[in-house]
Amino acid sequence: MSTTTKAEQYQDTRIDVKLVLSSLWIAMLIVFAYVDIFALLRADVLRAALDGKMAATGITVDQAFQVFTTVYILIPTLMVFLSLVLRPRVNKFINIVVALVYAVSIIASCIGEGWIYYLLGSAVEVVLLAAIVRTAWVWPTVPAIVGRREPLA
């Protein structure tokens, strides 16, 4: 007599595209923040900051720079919320465009950078942004029902 045991199977749930996009933006922002926080442990960054400059570029840290930086970080922060509330067509477009723009800006910030933590963190950010683009790009569609007037239940 042979007995077979059936392995327990777990139910997997489909996650809404909006939740996936929002989660990816959150993950990207966490990596983004930690890379910047770790930079505060670098002597060159601290010296430049005390002189009111950015270490890599020598840009003066003034009101205009701080406003630009705030807007730069507010956009992906708002994407966490907007990914949940925008209609699919607009949501898809905005997620693709914003993620691509940020991927390019992060790649550009790596030019001339020699710190491995920064390059690794930036690579992870770009991968997460690529996942946002892909997730938005392959957004599932619902087949249109032509001639139907009553709402679907």
Side-chain angles (χ1 to χ4, degrees), residues 109-146:
S109 75
C110 290
I111 297 171
E113 181 61 58
W115 287 79
I116 301 300
Y117 85 93
Y118 189 91
L119 297 172
L120 176 61
S122 296
V124 171
E125 291 168 22
V126 170
V127 167
L128 290 166
L129 290 164
I132 290 169
V133 170
R134 185 190 177 286
T135 301
W137 189 273
V138 299
W139 196 301
T141 56
V142 177
I145 302 173
V146 180

PDB file of all heavy atoms in Angstrom, residues 109-146:
ATOM      1  N   SER A 109      24.213  61.212 -12.328  1.00  0.00           N
ATOM      2  CA  SER A 109      24.881  61.553 -11.060  1.00  0.00           C
ATOM      3  C   SER A 109      26.020  60.590 -10.726  1.00  0.00           C
ATOM      4  O   SER A 109      26.860  60.891  -9.881  1.00  0.00           O
ATOM      5  CB  SER A 109      23.868  61.581  -9.906  1.00  0.00           C
ATOM      6  OG  SER A 109      23.512  60.262  -9.528  1.00  0.00           O
ATOM      7  N   CYS A 110      26.065  59.457 -11.394  1.00  0.00           N
ATOM      8  CA  CYS A 110      27.132  58.466 -11.158  1.00  0.00           C
ATOM      9  C   CYS A 110      28.406  58.775 -11.938  1.00  0.00           C
ATOM     10  O   CYS A 110      29.458  58.188 -11.649  1.00  0.00           O
ATOM     11  CB  CYS A 110      26.643  57.068 -11.537  1.00  0.00           C
ATOM     12  SG  CYS A 110      25.401  56.442 -10.405  1.00  0.00           S
ATOM     13  N   ILE A 111      28.304  59.684 -12.901  1.00  0.00           N
ATOM     14  CA  ILE A 111      29.479  60.007 -13.716  1.00  0.00           C
ATOM     15  C   ILE A 111      30.555  60.616 -12.823  1.00  0.00           C
ATOM     16  O   ILE A 111      30.325  61.600 -12.125  1.00  0.00           O
ATOM     17  CB  ILE A 111      29.103  60.965 -14.868  1.00  0.00           C
ATOM     18  CG1 ILE A 111      28.119  60.284 -15.809  1.00  0.00           C
ATOM     19  CG2 ILE A 111      30.354  61.440 -15.613  1.00  0.00           C
ATOM     20  CD1 ILE A 111      27.510  61.188 -16.858  1.00  0.00           C
ATOM     21  N   GLY A 112      31.715  59.986 -12.815  1.00  0.00           N
ATOM     22  CA  GLY A 112      32.842  60.455 -12.023  1.00  0.00           C
ATOM     23  C   GLY A 112      32.810  60.027 -10.563  1.00  0.00           C
ATOM     24  O   GLY A 112      33.721  60.350  -9.808  1.00  0.00           O
ATOM     25  N   GLU A 113      31.787  59.308 -10.161  1.00  0.00           N
ATOM     26  CA  GLU A 113      31.665  58.858  -8.767  1.00  0.00           C
ATOM     27  C   GLU A 113      32.501  57.603  -8.562  1.00  0.00           C
ATOM     28  O   GLU A 113      32.442  56.683  -9.363  1.00  0.00           O
ATOM     29  CB  GLU A 113      30.198  58.569  -8.424  1.00  0.00           C
ATOM     30  CG  GLU A 113      29.958  58.127  -7.004  1.00  0.00           C
ATOM     31  CD  GLU A 113      30.376  59.144  -5.952  1.00  0.00           C
ATOM     32  OE1 GLU A 113      29.857  60.277  -5.983  1.00  0.00           O
ATOM     33  OE2 GLU A 113      31.237  58.800  -5.116  1.00  0.00           O
ATOM     34  N   GLY A 114      33.285  57.563  -7.493  1.00  0.00           N
ATOM     35  CA  GLY A 114      34.152  56.416  -7.248  1.00  0.00           C
ATOM     36  C   GLY A 114      33.761  55.586  -6.044  1.00  0.00           C
ATOM     37  O   GLY A 114      34.349  54.531  -5.798  1.00  0.00           O
ATOM     38  N   TRP A 115      32.789  56.047  -5.277  1.00  0.00           N
ATOM     39  CA  TRP A 115      32.392  55.318  -4.076  1.00  0.00           C
ATOM     40  C   TRP A 115      31.446  54.174  -4.460  1.00  0.00           C
ATOM     41  O   TRP A 115      30.392  54.395  -5.057  1.00  0.00           O
ATOM     42  CB  TRP A 115      31.727  56.257  -3.079  1.00  0.00           C
ATOM     43  CG  TRP A 115      32.709  57.170  -2.417  1.00  0.00           C
ATOM     44  CD1 TRP A 115      33.247  58.307  -2.952  1.00  0.00           C
ATOM     45  CD2 TRP A 115      33.279  57.019  -1.122  1.00  0.00           C
ATOM     46  NE1 TRP A 115      34.116  58.874  -2.060  1.00  0.00           N
ATOM     47  CE2 TRP A 115      34.152  58.108  -0.919  1.00  0.00           C
ATOM     48  CE3 TRP A 115      33.134  56.082  -0.106  1.00  0.00           C
ATOM     49  CZ2 TRP A 115      34.878  58.277   0.252  1.00  0.00           C
ATOM     50  CZ3 TRP A 115      33.851  56.255   1.074  1.00  0.00           C
ATOM     51  CH2 TRP A 115      34.711  57.334   1.227  1.00  0.00           C
ATOM     52  N   ILE A 116      31.824  52.958  -4.060  1.00  0.00           N
ATOM     53  CA  ILE A 116      31.069  51.759  -4.430  1.00  0.00           C
ATOM     54  C   ILE A 116      29.652  51.779  -3.857  1.00  0.00           C
ATOM     55  O   ILE A 116      28.704  51.395  -4.533  1.00  0.00           O
ATOM     56  CB  ILE A 116      31.817  50.475  -3.979  1.00  0.00           C
ATOM     57  CG1 ILE A 116      33.211  50.409  -4.610  1.00  0.00           C
ATOM     58  CG2 ILE A 116      31.017  49.223  -4.312  1.00  0.00           C
ATOM     59  CD1 ILE A 116      33.234  50.382  -6.112  1.00  0.00           C
ATOM     60  N   TYR A 117      29.483  52.214  -2.597  1.00  0.00           N
ATOM     61  CA  TYR A 117      28.147  52.232  -1.996  1.00  0.00           C
ATOM     62  C   TYR A 117      27.199  53.093  -2.844  1.00  0.00           C
ATOM     63  O   TYR A 117      26.029  52.768  -3.022  1.00  0.00           O
ATOM     64  CB  TYR A 117      28.192  52.751  -0.549  1.00  0.00           C
ATOM     65  CG  TYR A 117      28.149  54.258  -0.462  1.00  0.00           C
ATOM     66  CD1 TYR A 117      26.951  54.931  -0.303  1.00  0.00           C
ATOM     67  CD2 TYR A 117      29.309  55.017  -0.594  1.00  0.00           C
ATOM     68  CE1 TYR A 117      26.902  56.310  -0.273  1.00  0.00           C
ATOM     69  CE2 TYR A 117      29.276  56.386  -0.554  1.00  0.00           C
ATOM     70  CZ  TYR A 117      28.068  57.033  -0.391  1.00  0.00           C
ATOM     71  OH  TYR A 117      28.021  58.404  -0.365  1.00  0.00           O
ATOM     72  N   TYR A 118      27.730  54.205  -3.351  1.00  0.00           N
ATOM     73  CA  TYR A 118      26.922  55.131  -4.150  1.00  0.00           C
ATOM     74  C   TYR A 118      26.525  54.491  -5.476  1.00  0.00           C
ATOM     75  O   TYR A 118      25.367  54.582  -5.900  1.00  0.00           O
ATOM     76  CB  TYR A 118      27.708  56.424  -4.393  1.00  0.00           C
ATOM     77  CG  TYR A 118      26.881  57.521  -5.025  1.00  0.00           C
ATOM     78  CD1 TYR A 118      26.201  58.426  -4.232  1.00  0.00           C
ATOM     79  CD2 TYR A 118      26.767  57.631  -6.414  1.00  0.00           C
ATOM     80  CE1 TYR A 118      25.436  59.440  -4.801  1.00  0.00           C
ATOM     81  CE2 TYR A 118      26.003  58.634  -6.987  1.00  0.00           C
ATOM     82  CZ  TYR A 118      25.340  59.529  -6.180  1.00  0.00           C
ATOM     83  OH  TYR A 118      24.563  60.515  -6.749  1.00  0.00           O
ATOM     84  N   LEU A 119      27.478  53.842  -6.116  1.00  0.00           N
ATOM     85  CA  LEU A 119      27.202  53.184  -7.396  1.00  0.00           C
ATOM     86  C   LEU A 119      26.240  52.013  -7.214  1.00  0.00           C
ATOM     87  O   LEU A 119      25.326  51.820  -8.028  1.00  0.00           O
ATOM     88  CB  LEU A 119      28.508  52.725  -8.045  1.00  0.00           C
ATOM     89  CG  LEU A 119      29.481  53.855  -8.404  1.00  0.00           C
ATOM     90  CD1 LEU A 119      30.818  53.288  -8.847  1.00  0.00           C
ATOM     91  CD2 LEU A 119      28.888  54.766  -9.463  1.00  0.00           C
ATOM     92  N   LEU A 120      26.424  51.249  -6.131  1.00  0.00           N
ATOM     93  CA  LEU A 120      25.518  50.127  -5.848  1.00  0.00           C
ATOM     94  C   LEU A 120      24.107  50.631  -5.567  1.00  0.00           C
ATOM     95  O   LEU A 120      23.130  50.127  -6.130  1.00  0.00           O
ATOM     96  CB  LEU A 120      26.041  49.315  -4.661  1.00  0.00           C
ATOM     97  CG  LEU A 120      25.139  48.162  -4.185  1.00  0.00           C
ATOM     98  CD1 LEU A 120      24.948  47.137  -5.291  1.00  0.00           C
ATOM     99  CD2 LEU A 120      25.719  47.530  -2.931  1.00  0.00           C
ATOM    100  N   GLY A 121      23.995  51.625  -4.695  1.00  0.00           N
ATOM    101  CA  GLY A 121      22.679  52.192  -4.381  1.00  0.00           C
ATOM    102  C   GLY A 121      22.008  52.768  -5.620  1.00  0.00           C
ATOM    103  O   GLY A 121      20.810  52.564  -5.844  1.00  0.00           O
ATOM    104  N   SER A 122      22.784  53.455  -6.442  1.00  0.00           N
ATOM    105  CA  SER A 122      22.238  54.033  -7.677  1.00  0.00           C
ATOM    106  C   SER A 122      21.788  52.946  -8.636  1.00  0.00           C
ATOM    107  O   SER A 122      20.749  53.079  -9.296  1.00  0.00           O
ATOM    108  CB  SER A 122      23.285  54.931  -8.343  1.00  0.00           C
ATOM    109  OG  SER A 122      23.583  56.031  -7.508  1.00  0.00           O
ATOM    110  N   ALA A 123      22.549  51.843  -8.717  1.00  0.00           N
ATOM    111  CA  ALA A 123      22.160  50.721  -9.580  1.00  0.00           C
ATOM    112  C   ALA A 123      20.836  50.125  -9.112  1.00  0.00           C
ATOM    113  O   ALA A 123      19.951  49.834  -9.933  1.00  0.00           O
ATOM    114  CB  ALA A 123      23.254  49.656  -9.599  1.00  0.00           C
ATOM    115  N   VAL A 124      20.669  49.981  -7.810  1.00  0.00           N
ATOM    116  CA  VAL A 124      19.411  49.447  -7.271  1.00  0.00           C
ATOM    117  C   VAL A 124      18.267  50.413  -7.573  1.00  0.00           C
ATOM    118  O   VAL A 124      17.164  49.990  -7.966  1.00  0.00           O
ATOM    119  CB  VAL A 124      19.530  49.171  -5.751  1.00  0.00           C
ATOM    120  CG1 VAL A 124      18.179  48.830  -5.144  1.00  0.00           C
ATOM    121  CG2 VAL A 124      20.531  48.047  -5.502  1.00  0.00           C
ATOM    122  N   GLU A 125      18.509  51.704  -7.425  1.00  0.00           N
ATOM    123  CA  GLU A 125      17.476  52.703  -7.749  1.00  0.00           C
ATOM    124  C   GLU A 125      17.056  52.583  -9.207  1.00  0.00           C
ATOM    125  O   GLU A 125      15.860  52.611  -9.525  1.00  0.00           O
ATOM    126  CB  GLU A 125      17.998  54.115  -7.480  1.00  0.00           C
ATOM    127  CG  GLU A 125      18.203  54.435  -6.018  1.00  0.00           C
ATOM    128  CD  GLU A 125      18.988  55.721  -5.817  1.00  0.00           C
ATOM    129  OE1 GLU A 125      19.034  56.578  -6.725  1.00  0.00           O
ATOM    130  OE2 GLU A 125      19.572  55.876  -4.725  1.00  0.00           O
ATOM    131  N   VAL A 126      18.019  52.449 -10.114  1.00  0.00           N
ATOM    132  CA  VAL A 126      17.720  52.346 -11.543  1.00  0.00           C
ATOM    133  C   VAL A 126      16.946  51.052 -11.833  1.00  0.00           C
ATOM    134  O   VAL A 126      16.009  51.053 -12.637  1.00  0.00           O
ATOM    135  CB  VAL A 126      18.999  52.457 -12.397  1.00  0.00           C
ATOM    136  CG1 VAL A 126      18.739  52.110 -13.850  1.00  0.00           C
ATOM    137  CG2 VAL A 126      19.578  53.874 -12.285  1.00  0.00           C
ATOM    138  N   VAL A 127      17.304  49.967 -11.177  1.00  0.00           N
ATOM    139  CA  VAL A 127      16.566  48.700 -11.363  1.00  0.00           C
ATOM    140  C   VAL A 127      15.122  48.867 -10.890  1.00  0.00           C
ATOM    141  O   VAL A 127      14.179  48.417 -11.564  1.00  0.00           O
ATOM    142  CB  VAL A 127      17.263  47.534 -10.628  1.00  0.00           C
ATOM    143  CG1 VAL A 127      16.367  46.310 -10.547  1.00  0.00           C
ATOM    144  CG2 VAL A 127      18.582  47.194 -11.312  1.00  0.00           C
ATOM    145  N   LEU A 128      14.926  49.513  -9.746  1.00  0.00           N
ATOM    146  CA  LEU A 128      13.565  49.751  -9.255  1.00  0.00           C
ATOM    147  C   LEU A 128      12.783  50.657 -10.208  1.00  0.00           C
ATOM    148  O   LEU A 128      11.599  50.424 -10.469  1.00  0.00           O
ATOM    149  CB  LEU A 128      13.607  50.345  -7.848  1.00  0.00           C
ATOM    150  CG  LEU A 128      14.067  49.386  -6.749  1.00  0.00           C
ATOM    151  CD1 LEU A 128      14.396  50.156  -5.465  1.00  0.00           C
ATOM    152  CD2 LEU A 128      13.020  48.316  -6.492  1.00  0.00           C
ATOM    153  N   LEU A 129      13.449  51.664 -10.745  1.00  0.00           N
ATOM    154  CA  LEU A 129      12.785  52.552 -11.718  1.00  0.00           C
ATOM    155  C   LEU A 129      12.457  51.794 -13.001  1.00  0.00           C
ATOM    156  O   LEU A 129      11.390  52.013 -13.599  1.00  0.00           O
ATOM    157  CB  LEU A 129      13.662  53.772 -12.002  1.00  0.00           C
ATOM    158  CG  LEU A 129      13.764  54.758 -10.830  1.00  0.00           C
ATOM    159  CD1 LEU A 129      14.933  55.706 -11.030  1.00  0.00           C
ATOM    160  CD2 LEU A 129      12.460  55.507 -10.632  1.00  0.00           C
ATOM    161  N   ALA A 130      13.334  50.895 -13.417  1.00  0.00           N
ATOM    162  CA  ALA A 130      13.048  50.057 -14.590  1.00  0.00           C
ATOM    163  C   ALA A 130      11.846  49.150 -14.314  1.00  0.00           C
ATOM    164  O   ALA A 130      11.014  48.926 -15.194  1.00  0.00           O
ATOM    165  CB  ALA A 130      14.273  49.229 -14.966  1.00  0.00           C
ATOM    166  N   ALA A 131      11.743  48.660 -13.091  1.00  0.00           N
ATOM    167  CA  ALA A 131      10.583  47.837 -12.717  1.00  0.00           C
ATOM    168  C   ALA A 131       9.301  48.666 -12.756  1.00  0.00           C
ATOM    169  O   ALA A 131       8.237  48.164 -13.142  1.00  0.00           O
ATOM    170  CB  ALA A 131      10.792  47.227 -11.336  1.00  0.00           C
ATOM    171  N   ILE A 132       9.399  49.939 -12.388  1.00  0.00           N
ATOM    172  CA  ILE A 132       8.228  50.828 -12.480  1.00  0.00           C
ATOM    173  C   ILE A 132       7.817  50.992 -13.936  1.00  0.00           C
ATOM    174  O   ILE A 132       6.644  50.873 -14.281  1.00  0.00           O
ATOM    175  CB  ILE A 132       8.531  52.201 -11.827  1.00  0.00           C
ATOM    176  CG1 ILE A 132       8.634  52.047 -10.313  1.00  0.00           C
ATOM    177  CG2 ILE A 132       7.460  53.241 -12.203  1.00  0.00           C
ATOM    178  CD1 ILE A 132       9.192  53.261  -9.583  1.00  0.00           C
ATOM    179  N   VAL A 133       8.798  51.257 -14.799  1.00  0.00           N
ATOM    180  CA  VAL A 133       8.508  51.421 -16.232  1.00  0.00           C
ATOM    181  C   VAL A 133       7.872  50.154 -16.786  1.00  0.00           C
ATOM    182  O   VAL A 133       6.840  50.207 -17.474  1.00  0.00           O
ATOM    183  CB  VAL A 133       9.787  51.787 -17.026  1.00  0.00           C
ATOM    184  CG1 VAL A 133       9.543  51.719 -18.530  1.00  0.00           C
ATOM    185  CG2 VAL A 133      10.286  53.165 -16.623  1.00  0.00           C
ATOM    186  N   ARG A 134       8.442  49.005 -16.479  1.00  0.00           N
ATOM    187  CA  ARG A 134       7.914  47.736 -16.999  1.00  0.00           C
ATOM    188  C   ARG A 134       6.506  47.458 -16.462  1.00  0.00           C
ATOM    189  O   ARG A 134       5.614  47.065 -17.200  1.00  0.00           O
ATOM    190  CB  ARG A 134       8.831  46.570 -16.639  1.00  0.00           C
ATOM    191  CG  ARG A 134       8.351  45.275 -17.271  1.00  0.00           C
ATOM    192  CD  ARG A 134       9.079  44.051 -16.771  1.00  0.00           C
ATOM    193  NE  ARG A 134       8.541  42.838 -17.335  1.00  0.00           N
ATOM    194  CZ  ARG A 134       7.390  42.280 -16.985  1.00  0.00           C
ATOM    195  NH1 ARG A 134       6.638  42.839 -16.080  1.00  0.00           N
ATOM    196  NH2 ARG A 134       6.979  41.159 -17.557  1.00  0.00           N
ATOM    197  N   THR A 135       6.313  47.670 -15.162  1.00  0.00           N
ATOM    198  CA  THR A 135       5.001  47.424 -14.556  1.00  0.00           C
ATOM    199  C   THR A 135       3.943  48.314 -15.190  1.00  0.00           C
ATOM    200  O   THR A 135       2.837  47.850 -15.511  1.00  0.00           O
ATOM    201  CB  THR A 135       5.062  47.659 -13.029  1.00  0.00           C
ATOM    202  OG1 THR A 135       6.036  46.777 -12.472  1.00  0.00           O
ATOM    203  CG2 THR A 135       3.718  47.419 -12.378  1.00  0.00           C
ATOM    204  N   ALA A 136       4.269  49.582 -15.385  1.00  0.00           N
ATOM    205  CA  ALA A 136       3.310  50.503 -16.017  1.00  0.00           C
ATOM    206  C   ALA A 136       3.109  50.143 -17.487  1.00  0.00           C
ATOM    207  O   ALA A 136       1.991  50.185 -18.003  1.00  0.00           O
ATOM    208  CB  ALA A 136       3.799  51.942 -15.873  1.00  0.00           C
ATOM    209  N   TRP A 137       4.183  49.776 -18.164  1.00  0.00           N
ATOM    210  CA  TRP A 137       4.129  49.464 -19.597  1.00  0.00           C
ATOM    211  C   TRP A 137       3.201  48.279 -19.881  1.00  0.00           C
ATOM    212  O   TRP A 137       2.454  48.289 -20.854  1.00  0.00           O
ATOM    213  CB  TRP A 137       5.531  49.169 -20.109  1.00  0.00           C
ATOM    214  CG  TRP A 137       5.618  49.057 -21.594  1.00  0.00           C
ATOM    215  CD1 TRP A 137       5.413  47.934 -22.348  1.00  0.00           C
ATOM    216  CD2 TRP A 137       5.900  50.104 -22.514  1.00  0.00           C
ATOM    217  NE1 TRP A 137       5.571  48.222 -23.684  1.00  0.00           N
ATOM    218  CE2 TRP A 137       5.869  49.553 -23.810  1.00  0.00           C
ATOM    219  CE3 TRP A 137       6.197  51.458 -22.353  1.00  0.00           C
ATOM    220  CZ2 TRP A 137       6.111  50.316 -24.937  1.00  0.00           C
ATOM    221  CZ3 TRP A 137       6.432  52.206 -23.487  1.00  0.00           C
ATOM    222  CH2 TRP A 137       6.389  51.631 -24.759  1.00  0.00           C
ATOM    223  N   VAL A 138       3.252  47.254 -19.039  1.00  0.00           N
ATOM    224  CA  VAL A 138       2.453  46.040 -19.272  1.00  0.00           C
ATOM    225  C   VAL A 138       1.151  46.053 -18.472  1.00  0.00           C
ATOM    226  O   VAL A 138       0.584  45.002 -18.187  1.00  0.00           O
ATOM    227  CB  VAL A 138       3.265  44.754 -18.970  1.00  0.00           C
ATOM    228  CG1 VAL A 138       4.475  44.656 -19.870  1.00  0.00           C
ATOM    229  CG2 VAL A 138       3.669  44.680 -17.502  1.00  0.00           C
ATOM    230  N   TRP A 139       0.685  47.231 -18.123  1.00  0.00           N
ATOM    231  CA  TRP A 139      -0.556  47.381 -17.352  1.00  0.00           C
ATOM    232  C   TRP A 139      -1.655  46.558 -18.019  1.00  0.00           C
ATOM    233  O   TRP A 139      -1.935  46.724 -19.210  1.00  0.00           O
ATOM    234  CB  TRP A 139      -0.955  48.852 -17.332  1.00  0.00           C
ATOM    235  CG  TRP A 139      -1.977  49.218 -16.299  1.00  0.00           C
ATOM    236  CD1 TRP A 139      -3.228  48.715 -16.175  1.00  0.00           C
ATOM    237  CD2 TRP A 139      -1.824  50.178 -15.261  1.00  0.00           C
ATOM    238  NE1 TRP A 139      -3.870  49.289 -15.120  1.00  0.00           N
ATOM    239  CE2 TRP A 139      -3.039  50.202 -14.541  1.00  0.00           C
ATOM    240  CE3 TRP A 139      -0.802  51.019 -14.881  1.00  0.00           C
ATOM    241  CZ2 TRP A 139      -3.242  51.043 -13.458  1.00  0.00           C
ATOM    242  CZ3 TRP A 139      -1.007  51.853 -13.807  1.00  0.00           C
ATOM    243  CH2 TRP A 139      -2.215  51.865 -13.094  1.00  0.00           C
ATOM    244  N   PRO A 140      -2.306  45.660 -17.278  1.00  0.00           N
ATOM    245  CA  PRO A 140      -3.358  44.820 -17.878  1.00  0.00           C
ATOM    246  C   PRO A 140      -4.524  45.664 -18.383  1.00  0.00           C
ATOM    247  O   PRO A 140      -4.880  46.675 -17.777  1.00  0.00           O
ATOM    248  CB  PRO A 140      -3.818  43.918 -16.737  1.00  0.00           C
ATOM    249  CG  PRO A 140      -2.860  44.116 -15.631  1.00  0.00           C
ATOM    250  CD  PRO A 140      -2.106  45.384 -15.870  1.00  0.00           C
ATOM    251  N   THR A 141      -5.075  45.243 -19.490  1.00  0.00           N
ATOM    252  CA  THR A 141      -6.226  45.950 -20.043  1.00  0.00           C
ATOM    253  C   THR A 141      -7.476  45.085 -19.887  1.00  0.00           C
ATOM    254  O   THR A 141      -7.390  43.870 -19.750  1.00  0.00           O
ATOM    255  CB  THR A 141      -6.016  46.268 -21.540  1.00  0.00           C
ATOM    256  OG1 THR A 141      -5.756  45.044 -22.221  1.00  0.00           O
ATOM    257  CG2 THR A 141      -4.854  47.226 -21.730  1.00  0.00           C
ATOM    258  N   VAL A 142      -8.610  45.742 -19.918  1.00  0.00           N
ATOM    259  CA  VAL A 142      -9.897  45.060 -19.858  1.00  0.00           C
ATOM    260  C   VAL A 142     -10.497  45.136 -21.248  1.00  0.00           C
ATOM    261  O   VAL A 142     -10.560  46.225 -21.833  1.00  0.00           O
ATOM    262  CB  VAL A 142     -10.834  45.746 -18.837  1.00  0.00           C
ATOM    263  CG1 VAL A 142     -12.193  45.089 -18.810  1.00  0.00           C
ATOM    264  CG2 VAL A 142     -10.196  45.754 -17.464  1.00  0.00           C
ATOM    265  N   PRO A 143     -10.927  44.004 -21.804  1.00  0.00           N
ATOM    266  CA  PRO A 143     -11.514  44.057 -23.148  1.00  0.00           C
ATOM    267  C   PRO A 143     -12.784  44.917 -23.163  1.00  0.00           C
ATOM    268  O   PRO A 143     -13.598  44.846 -22.245  1.00  0.00           O
ATOM    269  CB  PRO A 143     -11.828  42.595 -23.475  1.00  0.00           C
ATOM    270  CG  PRO A 143     -11.729  41.849 -22.197  1.00  0.00           C
ATOM    271  CD  PRO A 143     -10.942  42.679 -21.232  1.00  0.00           C
ATOM    272  N   ALA A 144     -12.892  45.742 -24.183  1.00  0.00           N
ATOM    273  CA  ALA A 144     -14.062  46.609 -24.325  1.00  0.00           C
ATOM    274  C   ALA A 144     -15.253  45.784 -24.801  1.00  0.00           C
ATOM    275  O   ALA A 144     -15.121  44.909 -25.641  1.00  0.00           O
ATOM    276  CB  ALA A 144     -13.769  47.725 -25.322  1.00  0.00           C
ATOM    277  N   ILE A 145     -16.406  46.085 -24.235  1.00  0.00           N
ATOM    278  CA  ILE A 145     -17.641  45.433 -24.657  1.00  0.00           C
ATOM    279  C   ILE A 145     -18.431  46.459 -25.439  1.00  0.00           C
ATOM    280  O   ILE A 145     -18.937  47.425 -24.892  1.00  0.00           O
ATOM    281  CB  ILE A 145     -18.445  44.908 -23.452  1.00  0.00           C
ATOM    282  CG1 ILE A 145     -17.594  43.922 -22.650  1.00  0.00           C
ATOM    283  CG2 ILE A 145     -19.743  44.279 -23.905  1.00  0.00           C
ATOM    284  CD1 ILE A 145     -18.217  43.470 -21.363  1.00  0.00           C
ATOM    285  N   VAL A 146     -18.531  46.260 -26.742  1.00  0.00           N
ATOM    286  CA  VAL A 146     -19.167  47.214 -27.631  1.00  0.00           C
ATOM    287  C   VAL A 146     -20.690  47.073 -27.547  1.00  0.00           C
ATOM    288  O   VAL A 146     -21.227  45.977 -27.552  1.00  0.00           O
ATOM    289  CB  VAL A 146     -18.702  46.986 -29.087  1.00  0.00           C
ATOM    290  CG1 VAL A 146     -19.353  47.986 -30.022  1.00  0.00           C
ATOM    291  CG2 VAL A 146     -17.194  47.075 -29.163  1.00  0.00           C
TER     292      VAL A 146
END
